[in-house]
Amino acid sequence: GAVVSQHPSRVICKSGTSVKIECRSLDFQATTMFWYRQFPKQSLMLMATSNEGSKATYEQGVEKDKFLINHASLTLSTLTVTSAHPEDSSFYICSARGQTGNTEAFFGQGTRLTVV
Amino acid sequence: AQSVTQLGSHVSVSEGALVLLRCNYSSSVPPYLFWYVQYPNQGLQLLLKYTTGATLVKGINGFEAEFKKSETSFHLTKPSAHMSDAAEYFCAVSGNSGYSTLTFGKGTMLLVSP
């Protein structure tokens, strides 16, 4: 299958700072990227969907000003957690899907964010 | 609207025993169905998927699942569990278009004992 690389795998930051997480599709063009958040021992909750060159579509309850998503190219999307708080600590996972009609989305390895 | 219900947050089996992880879905459109596996602190790996055609689908690592429309089910099975199968398993559903998003179940942790 196609490869999606997510970086960093772990990050610890201080409260009030911002953290950027990158998601790259290494061997295909990702027209759509998805960002999920996963709490311990729980399922993945979709945060937002982004299409290359367009503004992201956020799920209800997700603060768009806090979780900034950029999908400027067909191989890179970024999630920036702004003014991080301890309650933002979580596991964040991206996935990427290729051209329309392709049913499979490929997942990155995830990023463990800890805000202290 | 779509939803997924995975029965049992934990399933324990002995090595060599049958693995059965249950998944029921609801969907207002013909569904595409997926099973993913997640190891600790890692992303998701696709085990298998059903889109159209044969209702019994075979995936990686000896897993298979059967789409039963009348029962709105997509249970995951493996004839003989291996220690390396211990992980979290997620069932997911999407619509049948390229624009559809995945809706995940809450996951089932598979525990395998020697």
Side-chain angles (χ1 to χ4, degrees):
Chain A
V3 179
V4 175
S5 176
Q6 191 172 336
H7 178 80
S9 58
R10 289 178 177 272
V11 58
I12 300 173
C13 70
K14 293 184 177 180
S15 290
T17 61
S18 295
V19 174
K20 180 183 285 188
I21 302 169
E22 292 187 348
C23 181
R24 293 180 185 273
S25 57
L26 298 186
D27 50 4
F28 68 103
Q29 293 186 325
T31 52
T32 307
M33 285 190 171
F34 306 89
W35 287 94
Y36 296 87
R37 182 172 181 177
Q38 186 179 29
F39 291 100
K41 302 188 186 302
Q42 293 190 32
S43 189
L44 284 74
M45 301 299 296
L46 180 65
M47 299 174 66
T49 302
S50 72
N51 292 297
E52 185 266 338
S54 304
K55 287 186 178 180
T57 301
Y58 289 80
E59 296 299 303
Q60 191 172 11
V62 178
E63 299 176 62
K64 59 182 67 176
D65 293 331
K66 180 165 189 63
F67 298 101
L68 301 179
I69 292 171
N70 183 281
H71 190 171
S73 79
L74 284 171
T75 59
L76 174 64
S77 176
T78 59
L79 167 67
T80 302
V81 183
T82 63
S83 187
H85 287 239
E87 55 264 33
D88 298 326
S89 299
S90 192
F91 193 59
Y92 293 87
I93 306 175
C94 72
S95 73
R97 189 165 63 194
Q99 56 190 295
T100 303
N102 185 337
T103 57
E104 185 172 352
F106 300 93
F107 285 80
Q109 308 95 313
T111 297
R112 172 72 61 192
L113 170 63
T114 303
V115 184
V116 298
Chain B
Q2 299 162 324
S3 67
V4 175
T5 301
Q6 290 183 242
L7 287 176
S9 59
H10 292 79
V11 170
S12 296
V13 299
S14 299
E15 193 173 20
L18 171 71
V19 175
L20 171 60
L21 304 183
R22 298 179 185 274
C23 172
N24 289 88
Y25 70 91
S26 68
S27 177
S28 56
V29 298
Y32 288 171
L33 295 155
F34 306 80
W35 274 100
Y36 289 89
V37 61
Q38 184 182 34
Y39 296 97
N41 291 309
Q42 294 190 28
L44 274 67
Q45 180 182 13
L46 180 68
L47 282 177
L48 49 78
K49 65 180 179 182
Y50 167 80
T51 54
T52 59
T55 56
L56 180 64
V57 292
K58 296 184 184 298
I60 61 172
N61 301 338
F63 285 95
E64 62 182 40
E66 186 171 11
F67 169 59
K68 292 188 176 180
K69 184 178 178 181
S70 62
E71 298 178 8
T72 60
S73 69
F74 191 58
H75 302 328
L76 181 71
T77 61
K78 181 174 180 177
S80 177
H82 193 273
M83 296 296 288
S84 61
D85 294 327
E88 185 92 28
Y89 291 80
F90 292 96
C91 181
V93 64
S94 76
N96 57 356
S97 87
Y99 300 99
S100 298
T101 59
L102 284 167
T103 300
F104 287 88
K106 294 189 179 226
T108 299
M109 175 64 74
L110 177 64
L111 306 169
V112 183
S113 57

